[in-house]
Amino acid sequence: MMNRKIVFTFFVLLINLNSLKAQHKLYKSYDVCVYGATSAGVVAAYTAAQYGKSVLLIEPGKHVGGMSSGGLGLTDIGNKYAISGLALDFYRRIGQHYGKFEQWIFEPHVAEDIFNAYLKKAKVPVLYQNRVTSVKKQGNVITEILLESPDQHSVGSVKAKVFIDCSYEGDLMARAGVSYMVGREANTEYGETFNGVQLTNGHQLPDGIDPYKVKGDAKSGLLWGISNGQLAAKGSGDKKVQAYNYRICLSKDPKNRIPITKPANYQPEHYELLIRQMEKRTWKSLQDVFIWSRMPNQKTDINNRNGFSTDMIGMNWDYPDANYRKRQEIWSAHTDYTKGLLYFVGHDPRIPEHIRAEMNEWGYPKDEYKDNQNWTHQLYIREARRMKGALVMTQHHCQGQELVQDGIGMAAYTMDSHNCERLVVNGMVKNEGNVEEGGFDPYPIAYRAITPKEAEAANLLVPVCLSATHIAYGSIRMEPVFMVLGQSAALAAVKAIDGKSSVQQIDVVSLQRQLKENPLADGSAADILIDNSDSSRVKMAGNWLVQKRGGYGPDYYLSDGKTDSSSFIRYYPDQHIKGRYEIYTYYAKLPERNAVTNVKVFDGKRLQEVTIKDNEVNVVGQTSGEWVKLGDYTFSGTGKPYMEITGKGKKVAADAVLLVATSK
């Protein structure tokens, strides 16, 4: 009898041991492991694979593309001049989908389809629903990362020569022991002026809103969403994080919308401040409370606007360093809040009837997020951890007061921070933390800013949670810029592997050159861009005014409206250019301009004239203008070809010219 028990016990132990072994999987060893299938992660994985490296892309969730496929269809860019390489290719693929050259507004599923097409072309395997739990190192070299599935029923590990952390949270970076920052630096730390605590009028509540549940009765307690903190000194640092929200995709198409119904955890008391805001400020349309941006096919990208909106202010401070369970609670709270807000606006009797009617014209889109109850899979993690790398990007870099020489991408957006806290100031409810400071040219982002200190990690690159102060990160943290930095990080990884060096010791000049010469990582010909600021290839006649804002690149030219056809701006490509090219000119978005722009194209043998009519150019989104096609032209390598914009007429703009090689 005893022997049978011993045998049975041994048999059970053997089964359990085998089960444990089966649960832990080594997902091979790779040249490059990319963690986080955000837009940057997809581009990084694709790039490394295109250069012949074995790559694994790991995604904690179920989808690729991050915010770019998660509802952020109104691309925040500032100036297209800053975007290059595969990021630019992505927006051109978006354009092709919608029948245009480029397009910067799009539906979520269109973006995800394009990201998946990149991965399919490069044959990059994606390991979904796995998240990093720990990192193994030998000295300053990461040898292996350990993973778990969200249900923790299986664990695994991945070995690689170089790791790239493209997550919004910087989890791999943090677990690798790399230094990082959460929150806001004091202005005094880097000599900045827009960091730290900021009480401004941006996205602010009107004066006079009572903060208490019972108006005038402090004993009744504060309304939901108001902290009991005290306003700190302007510019002082803290660990508070700018607000998160969802970028909401809804549909107005009756055939493609699902009604917005009361969510399970509906708490109408969470929106009392919206009612009090309405009492102080007349609510005329949905646009007074939401940035209600229209996307193709009757859809939206809805964002936060004014004092009370989709931002869940002060509810995310713990998120960056929280464990996975706590983060899921924060995500769920944001989902409940946002779905509840949409329902509240459409159904609460205190909301004006015309606003309720306007809201109820919209519903969740049937053709988006089909595996997630038609709700986005990505919370907008505007900022979490920020690495303290070999160089810290600051306000001074954004404003051009400091210029780096190891630039591997550019940024151009306003220094932007959403509010961090909602509190009582002088007896009134106020939001604190909003910053919107722009007015500067595109600027380079240092390679050292995506590189940890070598003593901390010699084979890790961090293009998303990069090294920047809170306020500089507010300018850099845009999806197209993340894609540019993801591509740069991948090529740097390739160079480190080929050169058997740390990522810190690669030849950055060679990296910069290769990014320029092989922008799509596939050997295809680079575009020929001639900006008006290129004095060696641009000739001017007549009177033109230099305009510093609103065009492509740092500036553009505007005619004085008094000259005749002898006034022109002429762009010269290489006189030995050969082959067939599509030619575009940049049509700047101006409040007033001539109804007709005349352009001449000389291919070295024949002169052709093209007329651009203002009412035929549709400038959409947050961009500074649109590329307008002049036609397809074949160059033979003879003559002296040029493109010329004539200054005849009122307020004619002359900006950049682009030549795109074509095999047609």
Side-chain angles (χ1 to χ4, degrees):
M1 188 71 177
M2 183 65 69
N3 289 339
R4 288 184 179 179
K5 288 184 178 180
I6 292 173
V7 170
F8 178 77
T9 302
F10 176 77
F11 181 68
V12 171
L13 288 172
L14 185 62
I15 290 175
N16 288 338
L17 285 171
N18 288 333
S19 177
L20 287 171
K21 287 180 181 179
Q23 288 178 4
H24 185 96
K25 301 176 182 178
L26 174 61
Y27 299 105
K28 292 176 57 178
S29 180
Y30 297 84
D31 292 322
V32 179
C33 174
V34 180
Y35 184 76
T38 57
S39 59
V42 172
V43 169
Y46 173 84
T47 301
Q50 286 291 94
Y51 278 97
K53 301 306 176 188
S54 60
V55 183
L56 178 65
L57 177 59
I58 302 171
E59 166 53 33
K62 299 179 182 179
H63 297 267
V64 300
M67 282 305 304
S68 289
S69 63
L72 205 169
L74 186 73
T75 306
D76 297 311
I77 175 54
N79 195 315
K80 296 177 186 177
Y81 179 80
I83 305 308
S84 58
L86 287 165
L88 190 55
D89 182 67
F90 170 79
Y91 294 104
R92 289 184 183 172
R93 292 191 186 204
I94 292 286
Q96 289 169 14
H97 176 85
Y98 292 109
K100 295 183 65 177
F101 174 54
E102 285 178 7
Q103 183 151 314
W104 302 70
I105 65 169
F106 48 86
E107 299 159 89
H109 77 272
V110 174
E112 187 163 9
D113 287 347
I114 291 173
F115 286 126
N116 277 316
Y118 280 120
L119 297 172
K120 182 178 180 180
K121 178 183 177 182
K123 298 179 180 179
V124 174
V126 184
L127 183 61
Y128 290 101
Q129 292 187 275
N130 272 266
R131 55 201 186 190
V132 63
T133 57
S134 61
V135 172
K136 292 183 179 181
K137 295 170 68 176
Q138 290 182 357
N140 65 347
V141 175
I142 300 171
T143 58
E144 186 176 4
I145 63 172
L146 274 62
L147 306 167
E148 68 175 15
S149 65
D151 58 14
Q152 298 185 14
H153 289 164
S154 64
V155 294
S157 60
V158 174
K159 295 181 179 180
K161 295 175 183 176
V162 176
F163 293 85
I164 305 176
D165 188 345
C166 289
S167 67
Y168 291 125
E169 295 86 358
D171 286 340
L172 196 161
M173 170 194 74
R175 285 163 174 76
V178 172
S179 301
Y180 63 87
M181 171 69 180
V182 172
R184 302 178 286 186
E185 297 88 354
N187 271 328
T188 54
E189 187 169 349
Y190 291 96
E192 297 173 306
T193 56
F194 298 117
N195 212 332
V197 172
Q198 301 285 334
L199 185 66
T200 70
N201 291 325
H203 296 286
Q204 187 58 271
L205 289 154
D207 287 346
I209 294 182
D210 191 293
Y212 303 111
K213 292 177 181 178
V214 177
K215 291 182 179 180
D217 183 4
K219 293 181 180 179
S220 66
L222 295 168
L223 291 174
W224 181 91
I226 305 174
S227 80
N228 58 6
Q230 300 294 314
L231 180 65
K234 181 179 180 180
S236 58
D238 54 35
K239 298 298 182 182
K240 297 168 186 175
V241 180
Q242 63 173 303
Y244 300 164
N245 71 343
Y246 285 106
R247 298 293 287 257
I248 310 164
C249 181
L250 298 180
S251 173
K252 198 174 185 180
D253 181 356
K255 297 179 181 179
N256 191 41
R257 72 183 185 208
I258 300 169
I260 298 171
T261 55
K262 183 188 296 186
N265 297 319
Y266 182 55
Q267 295 175 280
E269 64 272 16
H270 286 184
Y271 314 108
E272 180 63 30
L273 269 176
L274 180 59
I275 298 299
R276 295 193 186 184
Q277 176 179 267
M278 186 179 66
E279 292 170 353
K280 296 287 185 179
R281 182 186 292 149
T282 302
W283 194 352
K284 298 177 182 178
S285 76
L286 290 173
Q287 291 285 4
D288 290 326
V289 170
F290 307 93
I291 298 178
W292 202 278
S293 302
R294 298 298 184 94
M295 296 297 105
N297 295 316
Q298 300 186 65
K299 293 179 184 172
T300 62
D301 169 2
I302 301 171
N303 197 11
N304 183 82
R305 169 169 277 158
N306 291 329
F308 190 95
S309 184
T310 62
D311 276 2
M312 203 169 172
I313 299 172
M315 305 297 178
N316 61 332
W317 296 348
D318 294 335
Y319 184 87
D321 280 326
N323 60 34
Y324 292 124
R325 179 178 295 180
K326 178 63 176 178
R327 283 187 186 167
Q328 185 55 55
E329 292 175 1
I330 293 171
W331 276 53
S332 296
H334 278 74
T335 302
D336 291 342
Y337 169 80
T338 311
K339 288 186 173 182
L341 175 63
L342 296 175
Y343 180 80
F344 183 86
V345 172
H347 295 86
D348 193 280
R350 294 172 293 175
I351 301 294
E353 184 177 356
H354 71 281
I355 298 293
R356 281 181 278 149
E358 188 180 2
M359 172 62 80
N360 289 321
E361 292 178 348
W362 297 87
Y364 300 120
K366 292 180 180 179
D367 62 344
E368 300 287 356
Y369 317 123
K370 294 179 181 179
D371 64 347
N372 198 43
Q373 298 180 319
N374 310 98
W375 183 254
T376 175
H377 51 78
Q378 182 63 60
L379 180 64
Y380 195 177
I381 311 300
R382 288 191 172 90
E383 184 176 352
R385 300 180 177 104
R386 302 186 310 279
M387 180 172 65
K388 291 184 178 180
L391 176 138
V392 179
M393 298 290 295
T394 70
Q395 174 183 330
H396 311 300
H397 296 104
C398 299
Q399 295 176 322
Q401 296 166 3
E402 293 184 21
L403 185 67
V404 302
Q405 299 303 313
D406 59 340
I408 39 82
M410 300 187 78
Y413 201 72
T414 296
M415 290 182 289
D416 177 87
S417 173
H418 282 233
N419 281 300
C420 299
E421 187 173 13
R422 180 177 286 139
L423 69 174
V424 180
V425 180
N426 298 325
M428 302 178 290
V429 188
K430 288 295 174 182
N431 296 333
E432 181 277 311
N434 185 82
V435 179
E436 297 170 79
E437 291 291 335
F440 43 79
D441 294 334
Y443 59 93
I445 302 165
Y447 175 66
R448 288 166 291 166
I450 68 169
T451 312
K453 297 170 184 174
E454 190 167 3
E456 294 182 343
N459 63 334
L460 173 67
L461 291 154
V462 187
V464 176
C465 292
L466 73 157
S467 180
T469 63
H470 159 73
I471 200 59
Y473 192 80
S475 171
I476 297 168
R477 62 170 181 85
M478 304 301 153
E479 289 289 294
V481 177
F482 285 156
M483 286 188 246
V484 170
L485 297 179
Q487 180 175 356
S488 301
L491 183 53
V494 170
K495 288 186 169 296
I497 292 168
D498 291 346
K500 297 180 180 180
S501 73
S502 68
V503 296
Q504 290 83 4
Q505 299 302 321
I506 68 163
D507 183 345
V508 178
V509 173
S510 173
L511 172 65
Q512 294 169 321
R513 182 174 61 250
Q514 202 162 343
L515 287 168
K516 185 176 182 180
E517 293 175 352
N518 189 17
L520 302 187
D522 62 0
S524 59
D527 295 344
I528 299 172
L529 172 66
I530 311 172
D531 193 30
N532 57 284
S533 58
D534 187 349
S535 59
S536 65
R537 296 195 291 175
V538 178
K539 180 180 178 180
M540 178 193 305
N543 296 319
W544 295 82
L545 307 173
V546 177
Q547 305 296 304
K548 287 291 186 182
R549 300 284 177 265
Y552 185 86
D555 53 36
Y556 66 96
Y557 293 127
L558 191 66
S559 71
D560 62 4
K562 301 176 183 178
T563 55
D564 56 22
S565 58
S566 63
S567 175
F568 63 83
I569 302 292
R570 188 174 290 175
Y571 304 84
Y572 292 98
D574 187 335
Q575 61 180 329
H576 301 300
I577 184 175
K578 286 186 178 182
R580 191 160 180 79
Y581 287 82
E582 296 177 348
I583 301 181
Y584 298 82
T585 186
Y586 199 75
Y587 196 87
K589 180 169 64 177
L590 302 173
E592 295 181 18
R593 66 171 304 134
N594 187 33
V596 177
T597 299
N598 297 306
V599 186
K600 297 177 181 179
V601 179
F602 180 59
D603 63 10
K605 292 183 178 180
R606 185 175 57 155
L607 182 67
Q608 300 181 56
E609 295 192 22
V610 181
T611 298
I612 302 172
K613 297 181 179 180
D614 184 73
N615 60 7
E616 295 178 354
V617 180
N618 183 26
V619 179
V620 295
Q622 296 183 220
T623 60
S624 54
E626 295 288 333
W627 289 110
V628 175
K629 188 174 182 178
L630 302 177
D632 295 271
Y633 300 86
T634 301
F635 299 92
S636 61
T638 59
K640 195 174 183 180
Y642 63 82
M643 298 89 221
E644 177 183 296
I645 296 178
T646 303
K648 183 179 180 180
K650 182 181 179 182
K651 300 298 182 182
V652 172
D655 209 335
V657 167
L658 181 70
L659 288 78
V660 180
T662 176
S663 57
K664 296 179 181 178

